[in-house]
Amino acid sequence: MSRFHIIREYTGVLLGTAVVAAAFQMFLIPNQIAAGGISGLGVILFHLLGLPMGVTIFLLNLPLFLISAKIFGWKFIVRGLFGAVSLSLLVELLAFLPRVTEDLLLASLYGGILMGVGIALVFGARGSTGGTVLAAQVLNKLFGFTMGQSLLSVDFLVVTLAGIVFNLELAMYALISLFVTSRVIDLVQEGISNSKATLIISSHTEAITERILRDLDRGATILTGKGAYTKEDRDMVLTVVSQSEVPRLKNIVHEVDERAFVIVGNAQDVLGEGFKPGPES
């Protein structure tokens, strides 16, 4: 990987952690919303003991990084260590940012949105901020829990602790923020789907494929299947088109074979010719 790509990725991690830190200072910390993970523990300890959140995040991450380094090797955690240190510093450096709202619902929603955008930027730069993800990887390696089980367990414990330290209502708002964060991460990473994957089952696949290639200028793949009821071999056409091309595709299929069976679904992330390019090496 070139030096330019390395610098760009570390800059992406820095930008992402800045957005996450801003979310904490403007929405989550002043409203006592502990939305899971190490950072959620930081919010709890800040209000309970007055400990600076940046210091708390770093100290809680440190043993996780030491354990991870022993299990996975130092090369595995370098980017995560950079992200965790950046987040710890930026949370303190951005402490001057004002509290934007006292409305708990708005704070949990917009705090979750900003958190999701920031974490997605970090992930997009192949980085990490340590915390929950790192703890989940350790639990997965040591005890065989799945990543999903590990992430859910850690976040659930933090939100439960928030309910005990603060109150049940604040814990419920923390769950809202946690959910919004996870959805925004997916949205930013995968984008809003504008592509449709289409599977066409017909006895006239050759004619349909020819029309797709000629009229839509899209590629297609002919697959072979067998009818569960008839036990007959059937050909199917698989193609991916933009959302705006779906009506034209339906018209083509209808013109060629009125009895064709058509399935249209979202293609969340499409890489290749005619769509967005693949990831850079």
Side-chain angles (χ1 to χ4, degrees):
M1 182 181 294
S2 69
R3 182 176 299 178
F4 170 76
H5 286 116
I6 293 174
I7 293 173
R8 187 175 68 176
E9 288 183 347
Y10 276 88
T11 302
V13 172
L14 199 59
L15 177 61
T17 52
V19 174
V20 172
F24 278 116
Q25 295 296 355
M26 293 191 295
F27 296 104
L28 303 181
I29 295 176
N31 290 294
Q32 299 182 330
I33 298 174
I38 297 296
S39 52
L41 281 174
V43 173
I44 294 171
L45 293 176
F46 174 80
H47 288 284
L48 191 63
L49 304 174
L51 297 176
M53 185 170 168
V55 175
T56 303
I57 291 174
F58 178 77
L59 291 178
L60 291 175
N61 266 311
L62 192 58
L64 287 175
F65 278 111
L66 293 175
I67 295 171
S68 298
K70 187 172 182 179
I71 296 174
F72 304 111
W74 283 103
K75 187 177 180 180
F76 175 82
I77 66 165
V78 168
R79 290 174 189 268
L81 187 60
F82 175 78
V85 171
S86 299
L87 180 59
S88 300
L89 292 174
L90 287 167
V91 164
E92 298 304 320
L93 291 174
L94 298 180
F96 65 87
L97 291 174
R99 180 182 189 174
V100 174
T101 179
E102 295 182 7
D103 186 295
L104 292 176
L105 181 58
L106 289 177
S108 61
L109 289 174
Y110 283 93
I113 290 171
L114 269 186
M115 280 273 290
V117 170
I119 294 173
L121 288 173
V122 172
F123 287 170
R126 301 201 294 181
S128 167
T129 57
T132 306
V133 175
L134 199 60
Q137 288 172 328
V138 171
L139 289 173
N140 172 257
K141 183 69 175 180
L142 293 181
F143 302 107
F145 297 145
T146 67
M147 285 294 291
Q149 290 171 336
S150 302
L151 287 167
L152 183 62
S153 300
V154 174
D155 286 333
F156 179 76
L157 287 174
V158 173
V159 172
T160 301
L161 183 59
I164 295 171
V165 173
F166 302 136
N167 58 59
L168 184 59
E169 186 179 66
L170 285 172
M172 293 168 69
Y173 281 114
L175 283 174
I176 292 174
S177 188
L178 189 61
F179 174 77
V180 171
T181 296
S182 66
R183 298 307 301 161
V184 172
I185 290 172
D186 291 341
L187 182 62
V188 173
Q189 286 193 305
E190 299 174 0
I192 300 174
S193 176
N194 190 40
S195 300
K196 300 292 181 180
T198 307
L199 187 64
I200 305 159
I201 303 173
S202 169
S203 56
H204 303 280
T205 52
E206 292 288 347
I208 291 172
T209 302
E210 184 180 338
R211 289 285 302 277
I212 291 172
L213 296 173
R214 187 184 72 230
D215 297 354
L216 295 180
D217 194 26
R218 292 294 188 186
T221 301
I222 297 178
L223 308 174
T224 301
K226 177 180 286 189
Y229 179 73
T230 64
K231 306 301 181 182
E232 296 178 356
D233 290 337
R234 299 292 297 272
D235 286 339
M236 300 173 285
V237 180
L238 174 65
T239 185
V240 179
V241 298
S242 67
Q243 187 166 325
S244 62
E245 292 171 328
V246 171
R248 293 173 59 196
L249 177 62
K250 289 181 178 179
N251 287 335
I252 288 171
V253 175
H254 183 74
E255 289 170 6
V256 175
D257 183 6
E258 293 183 357
R259 300 183 62 186
F261 189 79
V262 182
I263 302 170
V264 180
N266 289 328
Q268 195 64 50
D269 203 7
V270 183
L271 309 178
E273 186 175 351
F275 298 92
K276 67 181 181 181
E280 297 179 11
S281 58

